[in-house]
């Protein structure tokens, strides 16, 4: 029997679409069915489990699934023995303490003897212990940000992304406890065959991630400006240069970040570059 990798991803929520997209860009497709929580993938020997994110660490720790994709914050909170195989760069957020905006904040000691509402008691308790602060934690599963206004707690500990939710609830962020992003986790003792498939999956994910926000830029330039243009091209070891049929002109090809492109476009033009084409890149294998 050929080995198959079992991966657990979030069924529906903030991570599901990006997790799906990442697998699809790695050539792995599946169609979830309403009746079953497992879907057989094509393009890779893989079965996809669709779960609540909080359940993923347990499945992976027990070896029911070999891999999982979820937020680092949940991995840290649940505390199951799993290893992080790859940081995936999406669903970035931070876990922060916040208090009503009119309160004065002097440091973590502010929380001494106070009540803090959170859905992440484990991460918070560890942070308070490390800093010698005693506080009472109130575990609630949702709408943590309303706790101070209803008198349940003096502060909260929650996920923050833009900070808009805190602001609209009259709160201010006073301390960042951890940064988080989506991660690929793995069972700590994968078999050799599974390990080989994991390496192949990580290889594909890296090729996809290397290409994120990268553009392939083609331009025509007068031959005497080539050196000056090379100076401008960021992080390029040796751009490809080909002769054009027209005497004294070359075509140059390079890979760069979108932001870098916008920052040099005016200079490229003033050096005489013309017919500048910019196209997306799907994968970069280094
Ligand atoms: O149903 P299931 O249990 O699977 O999902 P869930 O409801 O537990 O999680 P979900 O889908 O809301 O989030 C999944 C993961 O996304 C989290 O564990 C984080 O790793 C990550 N993530 C990234 C976020 C955010 N950004 C985020 N902004 N999770 C939640 N939020 C919340 C935050 O709590 C705040 O209340 O979004 C609100 C808006 O944030 P601001 O600061 O942009 O206003
Ligand atoms: Zn959850």
């Amino acid at each position: 029997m050929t080995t198959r990798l079992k991966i657990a991803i979030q069924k529906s929520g903030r991570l599901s679409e990006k997790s799906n997209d990442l697998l699809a860009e790695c050539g792995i497709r599946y169609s979830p069915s309403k009746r079953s929580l497992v879907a057989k993938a094509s393009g890779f020997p893989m079965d996809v489990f669709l779960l609540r994110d909080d359940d993923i660490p347990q499945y992976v720790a027990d070896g029911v699934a070999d891999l999982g994709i979820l937020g680092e914050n949940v991995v840290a909170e649940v505390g199951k023995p799993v290893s992080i195989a790859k940081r995936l760069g999406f669903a970035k957020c931070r876990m922060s303490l916040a208090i009503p905006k009119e309160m004065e904040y002097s440091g973590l000691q502010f929380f001494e003897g106070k009540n803090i509402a959170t859905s992440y008691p484990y991460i918070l308790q560890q942070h308070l212990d490390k800093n010698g602060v005693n506080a009472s934690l109130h575990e609630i599963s949702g709408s943590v940000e309303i706790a101070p206004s209803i008198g349940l707690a003096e502060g909260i500990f929650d996920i923050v992304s833009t900070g808009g939710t805190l602001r609209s609830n009259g709160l201010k962020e006073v301390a960042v406890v951890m940064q988080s992003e989506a991660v690929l986790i793995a069972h700590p003792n994968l078999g050799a065959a599974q390990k080989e498939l994991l390496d192949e999956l990580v290889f594909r994910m890296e090729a996809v991630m290397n290409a994120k926000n990268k553009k392939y830029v083609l331009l025509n330039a007068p031959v005497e400006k080539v050196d000056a243009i090379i100076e401008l091209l960021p992080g390029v070891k040796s751009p490809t240069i080909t002769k054009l049929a027209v005497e004294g002109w070359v075509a140059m090809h390079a890979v760069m970040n979108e932001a870098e492109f916008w920052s040099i476009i005016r200079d490229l033009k003033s050096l005489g570059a013309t017919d500048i084409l910019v196209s997306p890149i799907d994968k970069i294998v280094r």
Side-chain angles (χ1 to χ4, degrees):
M1 211 188 81
T2 50
T3 309
R4 299 179 69 79
L5 264 191
K6 290 168 285 179
I7 189 166
I9 65 173
Q10 192 188 30
K11 187 177 168 70
S12 76
R14 283 167 199 272
L15 303 168
S16 7
E17 194 180 327
K18 291 258 173 65
S19 307
N20 261 322
D21 291 351
L22 177 59
L23 293 179
E25 286 170 311
C26 290
I28 304 168
R29 286 167 206 281
Y30 66 93
S31 1
S33 96
K34 284 231 160 59
R35 279 164 292 119
S36 161
L37 62 79
V38 191
K40 205 170 168 146
S42 61
F44 200 79
M46 180 177 266
D47 297 313
V48 182
F49 287 57
L50 299 159
L51 305 172
R52 286 204 51 190
D53 63 352
D54 316 69
D55 296 334
I56 295 175
Q58 182 77 61
Y59 271 68
V60 174
D62 291 349
V64 178
D66 303 303
L67 308 177
I69 295 178
L70 76 164
E72 229 176 332
N73 53 317
V74 174
V75 178
E77 179 64 26
V78 177
K80 300 284 174 202
V82 295
S83 50
I84 292 185
K86 176 101 195 121
R87 309 175 73 79
L88 301 175
F90 63 87
K92 286 192 174 163
C93 57
R94 50 196 190 274
M95 304 283 312
S96 295
L97 283 154
I99 63 172
K101 65 173 189 302
E102 61 282 0
M103 304 273 265
E104 213 161 292
Y105 184 72
S106 47
L108 209 58
Q109 281 302 323
F110 169 91
F111 293 102
E112 182 69 34
K114 297 220 166 64
N115 294 313
I116 311 174
T118 186
S119 309
Y120 293 85
Y122 180 74
I123 297 173
L124 178 57
Q125 190 63 61
Q126 280 195 323
H127 187 70
L128 294 173
D129 289 350
K130 201 173 74 196
N131 290 282
V133 173
N134 292 299
S136 308
L137 308 195
H138 281 253
E139 187 176 351
I140 49 179
S141 58
S143 304
V144 172
E145 63 281 356
I146 66 166
S149 64
I150 60 172
L152 186 69
E154 283 100 346
I156 68 162
F157 175 63
D158 201 8
I159 296 171
V160 182
S161 167
T162 60
T165 302
L166 293 183
R167 274 192 300 280
S168 59
N169 284 279
L171 302 172
K172 63 179 176 190
E173 185 176 4
V174 292
V176 177
V177 173
M178 81 173 273
Q179 300 284 346
S180 175
E181 66 186 87
V183 289
L184 175 70
I185 57 166
H187 181 67
N189 304 306
L190 286 180
Q194 266 89 3
K195 180 78 180 51
E196 214 169 284
L197 285 176
L198 168 61
D199 289 346
E200 169 65 21
L201 178 67
V202 169
F203 174 83
R204 292 190 189 190
M205 286 180 168
E206 277 168 2
V208 170
M209 289 170 67
N210 286 341
K212 278 273 172 289
N213 305 317
K214 289 280 196 305
K215 299 290 173 193
Y216 186 65
V217 178
L218 278 122
L219 56 87
N220 292 339
V223 97
E224 70 275 12
K225 295 292 198 245
V226 163
D227 289 342
I229 290 176
I230 290 177
E231 283 287 303
L232 276 183
L233 299 178
V236 177
K237 274 186 238 123
S238 53
T240 309
I241 299 173
T242 39
K243 261 186 161 161
L244 291 182
V246 183
E247 190 63 34
W249 282 78
V250 293
M252 301 177 72
H253 309 197
V255 172
M256 64 186 83
N257 284 325
E258 176 132 42
E260 288 168 333
F261 171 75
W262 289 117
S263 73
I264 63 165
I265 177 69
R266 299 257 162 233
D267 295 338
L268 285 175
K269 296 264 315 162
S270 62
L271 283 170
T274 63
D275 306 303
I276 303 171
L277 302 186
V278 181
S279 33
I281 299 177
D282 231 31
K283 319 273 189 283
I284 297 180
V285 178
R286 293 220 163 89

